[in-house]
């Protein structure tokens, strides 16, 4: 109904509503856990940004993790949001990685330099280092990415609505700001021993809609680094 997935369950008032959610979610996630096991997937994520669901039904999630382990033999994580939610998930001890959707605010001004963005990472890196030590689990950035906009490091989580911003693309777009944000990530976070790795948002598959002229214009401010200056930053960051 247009709400963020973190709110699923907040408005439930009857046991019947919870029963439907819990049964259908178990059916869904166990199906893909079996697929992951048959494909010998390197990692399986049991959920993403389900803050209310995991907070309000902790016993369900404890049982679900056990059921997932019965059908998938590889390492497990859960993708918790960056805004303190990762500290509230109650079952890291049963998983292999602390999963964090790492859209931390890093600076207050547009067009920040690599050094400024890297400095903005420091308090977040320290908090994550401490939490990794506290839980005894490495941190995995289950999602991290940057728009190709001038303010990309200010509110990295903010999704640019391409319809609303169709007339503002020229003012908003900046491949260079996106590239600097990625370069700052590799400078500030990549060497850290508590960081197990990162999944970058987003890499797009082609389809007819994405080839439309309007969507092509939106691509100039989208999260995708494809065909942009950020690709050079990514290649450099991953270079041995």
């Amino acid at each position: 109904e247009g709400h963020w997935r973190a709110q699923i369950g907040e408005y439930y008032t009857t046991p019947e509503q919870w029963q439907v959610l819990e049964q259908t979610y178990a059916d869904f996630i166990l199906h893909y856990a079996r697929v992951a096991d048959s494909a010998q997937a390197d990692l399986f994520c049991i959920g993403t940004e389900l803050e209310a669901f995991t907070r309000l039904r902790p016993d369900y999630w404890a049982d679900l993790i056990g059921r997932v382990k019965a059908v998938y033999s590889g390492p497990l994580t859960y993708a918790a949001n960056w805004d303190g939610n990762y500290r509230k998930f109650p079952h890291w001890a049963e998983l292999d990685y602390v999963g964090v959707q790492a859209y931390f605010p890093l600076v207050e001004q547009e067009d920040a330099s690599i050094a400024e963005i890297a400095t903005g990472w420091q308090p977040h890196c320290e908090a994550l280092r401490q939490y990794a030590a506290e839980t005894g689990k490495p941190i995995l950035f289950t999602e991290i990415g940057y728009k190709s906009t001038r303010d990309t490091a200010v509110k990295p989580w903010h999704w640019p609505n391409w319809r609303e911003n169709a007339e503002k693309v020229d003012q908003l777009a900046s491949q260079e700001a996106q590239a600097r944000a990625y370069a700052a990530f590799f400078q500030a976070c990549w060497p850290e021993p508590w960081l197990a790795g990162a999944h970058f948002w987003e890499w797009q598959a082609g389809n007819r809609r994405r080839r439309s002229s309007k969507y092509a214009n939106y691509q100039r401010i989208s999260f995708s680094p494809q065909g942009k200056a950020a690709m050079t930053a990514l290649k450099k960051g991953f270079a041995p």
Side-chain angles (χ1 to χ4, degrees):
E1 297 179 350
H3 297 294
W4 180 32
R5 66 176 65 88
Q7 297 173 284
I8 293 173
E10 282 187 350
Y11 308 107
Y12 286 5
T13 57
T14 68
E16 290 76 18
Q17 290 174 312
W18 281 111
Q19 184 177 11
V20 170
L21 173 61
E22 291 176 350
Q23 183 59 57
T24 54
Y25 191 83
D27 292 344
F28 155 74
I29 207 69
L30 290 170
H31 166 75
Y32 284 103
R34 294 184 184 97
V35 172
D37 194 67
S38 66
Q40 297 182 323
D42 293 327
L43 177 72
F44 188 70
C45 182
I46 62 170
T48 299
E49 298 174 2
L50 296 170
E51 191 276 331
F53 192 2
T54 56
R55 171 172 48 85
L56 296 171
R57 311 297 279 190
D59 292 343
Y60 166 82
W61 282 88
D63 178 71
L64 183 65
I65 291 169
R67 295 173 69 184
V68 170
K69 287 182 175 181
V71 298
Y72 173 72
S73 57
L76 297 173
T77 191
Y78 167 81
N81 207 37
W82 62 270
D83 58 349
N85 180 237
Y86 68 88
R87 290 183 168 275
K88 300 174 185 176
F89 184 74
H91 302 301
W92 294 127
E94 301 303 317
L95 304 179
D96 298 280
Y97 300 96
V98 172
V100 178
Q101 306 284 85
Y103 295 102
F104 298 96
L106 302 171
V107 294
E108 296 182 355
Q109 75 279 11
E110 296 182 347
D111 294 316
S113 68
I114 293 173
E116 288 170 332
I117 300 170
T119 298
W121 265 110
Q122 295 313 306
H124 305 301
C125 286
E126 178 59 21
L128 291 165
R129 183 194 66 77
Q130 292 180 8
Y131 198 63
E134 181 181 329
T135 59
K137 305 286 181 177
I139 305 292
L140 175 65
F141 286 169
T142 40
E143 213 174 288
I144 182 173
Y146 299 98
K147 309 176 293 293
S148 44
T149 62
R150 295 176 59 197
D151 66 346
T152 190
V154 179
K155 292 182 178 180
W157 66 88
H158 185 259
W159 192 289
N161 185 304
W162 69 285
R163 291 181 178 85
E164 292 178 2
N165 291 298
E167 306 302 321
K168 307 177 190 175
V169 169
D170 288 337
Q171 301 100 286
L172 297 173
S174 175
Q175 289 191 28
E176 293 74 20
Q178 182 188 39
R180 289 194 296 270
Y182 275 112
F185 160 77
F186 281 105
Q187 179 178 310
C189 303
W190 201 240
E192 292 290 340
W194 48 260
L195 183 65
H199 298 273
F200 291 110
W201 182 271
E202 67 177 327
W203 192 267
Q204 298 174 348
N207 63 34
R208 188 172 301 171
R209 175 177 175 240
R210 298 186 196 282
R211 289 196 295 269
S212 71
S213 59
K214 287 184 177 180
Y215 203 85
N217 196 38
Y218 165 70
Q219 287 292 74
R220 294 175 56 201
I221 59 172
S222 74
F223 278 87
S224 172
Q226 293 157 268
K228 300 175 184 177
M231 285 295 295
T232 300
L234 284 165
K235 289 177 181 178
K236 185 177 180 180
F238 281 122

